[in-house]
Amino acid sequence: MNITGEQNTAKDLELQAKKMQLHWLLQITKAINYDFSTLQLLEVYQHIVTFQLKVSKLVLLVHEGQWRCSLAYGIDETFTNKKLNALLEELNQLHNFESDTQESTKDFETIIPVYHKNEILAYALIGGIDPAGIIKKNELVTFVQTITNLIVVAIENNKLTTEKIRQAGIKKELELAAQMQNMLFPKSLPSNDHYDLFATYLPNQEVGGDYYDYMPINENEFVFCMADVSGKGIPAALLMANFQANLHAFVHVTPSLKDLVKELNKRVFQSAQGEKFITFFVGKYNQLTNELQFINAGHNPPLLVHDKVVYLLNDGSTGLGMFEELPFINQGKVFIPNKALLFAYTDGLTELENDAEEQYGADRLKNLLLAHFNDNGGKLHENLQQELKEFQQNQPAVDDITALSIKFKVTSK
């Protein structure tokens, strides 16, 4: 029995399920953020639950002064007032433990109540869940509960006039999207006899456009990257989620960094139509040859520190998505010496301002890396965060701050 293979398959399926949920959650959040009408929101909700999650029966009951059926899919009969009243009476009895009869709800496997200020605002009833679906039943029900809450609250907000209530709803939506977005980042970074990786992510908003990753290619090589989408919020997060999916799809089948960057540029341009772009640094390291190949597509150049000297990794191209075809691509190559430090970051770090409107800047970052060169990754990032906190004084950060460090140990001979 190939236990490792089965475990990897299970992990792949779990990751795929999480990515699917992230995609759908961001689509709903985008629809809400773009002020879709109630009808449009219900269409998005029904499409996700029935077509994507493979649920064959769905009913959504919403209280709007009085109860009404907002959505019915996969049921034999339409909801007449008489049948709707019978269903609501049974739901009320079940909710208050006054009855265990299930005449009206027998066709549904799960009943999901939606609350607002301790009052039931809606019921979602789902049935015919596909047991062979990629998402497990318990996780599916939890996800449906999440998106049902989002949709129902959004519909309610469509009828509210106060900006305070509307902003509260948006904040909750962004928090949920941020939880899903965090799954784009690696769950853990390696620490072994050859190198240690450590990262810091300080979002300015609930959902941002910064991204870093680590992807082992084989037992001797790995690829790492740092990226930043122009703009902020949900649109930036959606573009970055799509970018991450494309990167993972092509990195293992495209050995050439130039070909990889060309393909990613094409995908970003198709998705953003030139309205947004992504700055991107990608490196491939071989621990047998100690060679680092890299391309810097318009990103802040990472710093390679060794023997009190700081090298800037500049070679590359323009940002991805600026042009349908990249005007040029220069691939850099450097041999990593013993006990070197590589530090990649997004511009939110160096553009952080203090009360005097001074930016933290690249020089301060270089000095910090030289001063704390011998610190391990965790300590280095701890000192960085402390210095940034002291530097900015009372000024809020205006952009996400992301940093990735690689501390190379004694390299191969």
Side-chain angles (χ1 to χ4, degrees):
M1 180 182 294
N2 189 348
I3 298 177
T4 301
E6 292 178 355
Q7 290 174 340
N8 289 337
T9 301
K11 289 181 179 179
D12 291 341
L13 290 174
E14 180 182 357
L15 178 59
Q16 184 180 353
K18 294 295 185 184
K19 287 183 177 179
M20 291 168 65
Q21 292 178 65
L22 170 63
H23 174 73
W24 299 327
L25 181 59
L26 288 177
Q27 291 300 321
I28 285 182
T29 308
K30 180 180 178 181
I32 295 171
N33 201 39
Y34 285 0
D35 292 327
F36 275 29
S37 68
T38 295
L39 180 60
Q40 289 172 319
L41 290 172
L42 290 173
E43 288 175 348
V44 172
Y45 174 74
Q46 177 180 316
H47 173 79
I48 291 174
V49 176
T50 60
F51 184 76
Q52 300 290 352
L53 298 180
K54 309 300 182 185
V55 172
S56 62
K57 296 180 180 180
L58 169 66
V59 169
L60 181 64
L61 308 176
V62 180
H63 189 267
E64 299 172 339
Q66 62 180 9
W67 285 97
R68 71 179 186 89
C69 180
S70 297
L71 189 62
Y73 174 87
I75 57 175
D76 295 334
E77 304 176 23
T78 58
F79 272 87
T80 63
N81 288 335
K82 183 177 180 180
K83 188 168 183 179
L84 176 59
N85 290 335
L87 177 60
L88 289 168
E89 183 178 353
E90 183 172 325
L91 288 171
N92 184 60
Q93 290 173 349
L94 290 171
H95 179 74
N96 293 297
F97 303 100
E98 295 175 357
S99 172
D100 58 357
T101 61
Q102 299 182 5
E103 183 61 32
S104 298
T105 58
K106 63 182 179 182
D107 294 330
F108 302 98
E109 298 174 39
T110 302
I111 301 169
I112 301 172
V114 177
Y115 291 90
H116 178 66
K117 296 182 178 179
N118 298 321
E119 296 290 333
I120 296 180
L121 191 62
Y123 285 106
L125 294 82
I126 59 176
I129 299 173
D130 185 0
I134 191 172
I135 302 177
K136 297 178 181 178
K137 181 177 179 180
N138 290 342
E139 187 177 355
L140 182 147
V141 171
T142 300
F143 182 67
V144 171
Q145 184 175 23
T146 297
I147 63 175
T148 302
N149 274 273
L150 281 174
I151 288 294
V152 172
V153 170
I155 292 173
E156 180 71 10
N157 283 345
N158 281 347
K159 302 180 180 88
L160 299 174
T161 57
T162 63
E163 182 66 15
K164 179 179 179 180
I165 296 177
R166 182 176 184 274
Q167 289 298 327
I170 292 174
K171 185 175 186 301
K172 184 62 177 178
E173 295 151 15
L174 291 173
E175 288 172 352
L176 290 169
Q179 293 174 13
M180 301 296 289
Q181 185 198 12
N182 284 333
M183 292 188 302
L184 294 178
F185 298 119
K187 291 184 178 179
S188 61
L189 293 171
S191 177
N192 54 44
D193 293 337
H194 299 280
Y195 45 79
D196 291 326
L197 275 77
F198 202 89
T200 294
Y201 174 56
L202 304 174
N204 174 53
Q205 300 180 0
E206 287 88 346
V207 180
D210 283 10
Y211 166 61
Y212 68 88
D213 214 335
Y214 161 85
M215 294 152 283
I217 303 301
N218 52 53
E219 62 180 7
N220 296 317
E221 293 181 301
F222 70 86
V223 168
F224 66 97
C225 71
M226 178 71 68
D228 189 3
V229 178
S230 62
K232 303 178 179 65
I234 294 294
L238 284 170
L239 182 58
M240 188 56 77
N242 185 59
F243 178 79
Q244 189 254 18
N246 285 320
L247 174 61
H248 278 252
F250 290 106
V251 70
H252 293 284
V253 296
T254 312
S256 165
L257 287 186
K258 285 189 176 181
D259 290 340
L260 175 64
V261 169
K262 287 179 182 178
E263 185 65 39
L264 292 174
N265 178 73
K266 180 175 71 174
R267 301 284 174 158
V268 174
F269 188 85
Q270 289 173 348
S271 298
Q273 293 297 309
E275 294 182 2
K276 289 187 177 297
F277 63 90
I278 296 177
T279 65
F280 178 59
F281 178 90
V282 60
K284 179 187 285 188
Y285 176 68
N286 187 311
Q287 67 187 34
L288 293 182
T289 64
N290 307 326
E291 181 181 275
L292 174 69
Q293 301 175 31
F294 67 89
I295 293 177
N296 187 341
H299 197 76
N300 300 81
L303 310 176
L304 181 63
V305 185
H306 178 255
D307 196 23
K308 298 183 179 181
V309 178
V310 179
Y311 303 88
L312 300 181
L313 304 183
N314 278 310
D315 295 334
S317 183
T318 60
L320 305 184
M322 290 181 172
F323 305 98
E324 188 171 3
E325 292 186 9
L326 292 171
F328 62 89
I329 303 179
N330 298 318
Q331 179 172 304
K333 182 174 71 175
V334 63
F335 289 92
I336 303 296
N338 290 342
K339 299 182 179 180
L341 169 67
L342 190 150
F343 189 88
Y345 63 96
T346 57
D347 56 12
L349 193 159
T350 49
E351 292 178 3
L352 183 71
E353 292 187 351
N354 59 16
D355 291 346
E357 298 184 353
E358 297 174 317
Q359 292 190 344
Y360 182 73
D363 289 338
R364 287 188 177 89
L365 177 59
K366 291 177 186 178
N367 291 335
L368 179 134
L369 295 178
L370 290 170
H372 297 281
F373 174 78
N374 292 318
D375 292 349
N376 61 35
K379 187 64 176 177
L380 171 65
H381 284 247
E382 181 182 326
N383 287 324
L384 171 65
Q385 291 185 59
Q386 182 61 36
E387 180 163 316
L388 292 177
K389 182 178 179 181
E390 293 175 357
F391 172 80
Q392 72 181 106
Q393 299 170 315
N394 298 313
Q395 291 300 305
V398 296
D399 199 358
D400 303 334
I401 295 175
T402 307
L404 173 69
S405 66
I406 306 177
K407 191 66 178 292
F408 296 94
K409 301 179 182 179
V410 176
T411 55
S412 304
K413 301 294 184 183

